[in-house]
Amino acid sequence: MPTFREAIEARDMDAVDALLADDAVFRSPVAFSPYPGKAITSAILRAVTEVFENFVYVREIADPGGDHALVFEAEVDGLAITGCDFLTYDEDGKIVDFMVMVRPLRAAEALAREMGARFEQIQAQALAYGEDNSASTS
């Protein structure tokens, strides 16, 4: 199974999904409240791959406990953005906490606008994902 970084770099969102725990929590750089659950986390990650242009990880920092920080660079709405994905894994190697931080402020605001414009679609995709998975486990 690929690492999260490898899956994102290959734009293999099915592999990303396989790395998310069912109880994963996504902590957005532009929203106050976290988003709990694999379905919404997956839908957000799928949408952000459409929003970011020229996305590349430039550095990876791993802690001995298995957590990772992945520094990235990209563009959003013509603005350069730098960010970091902080990944916390459970004992099964699944991502249980996914926190993102970005800078500078203008690019973060552009990211908020772009993701906000897609949020209804993101919620619908998360709902469909949850329904698909509950049907396949029944």
Side-chain angles (χ1 to χ4, degrees), residues 32-106:
F32 178 75
S33 297
Y35 297 98
K38 180 176 184 172
I40 191 70
T41 300
S42 174
I44 290 168
L45 291 174
R46 287 174 186 271
V48 83
T49 62
E50 297 170 5
V51 169
F52 282 150
E53 297 174 10
N54 302 316
F55 180 92
V56 62
Y57 281 119
V58 295
R59 185 170 181 206
E60 183 170 353
I61 305 163
D63 116 356
D67 294 341
H68 283 83
L70 299 164
V71 180
F72 64 84
E73 294 175 351
E75 293 175 20
V76 60
D77 199 22
L79 299 169
I81 191 166
T82 301
C84 191
D85 295 335
F86 295 93
L87 310 177
T88 301
Y89 294 86
D90 66 13
E91 59 279 351
D92 297 324
K94 301 281 186 169
I95 298 168
V96 292
D97 194 86
F98 192 116
M99 181 174 63
V100 182
M101 294 185 164
V102 296
R103 65 165 307 279
L105 180 58
R106 278 189 53 200

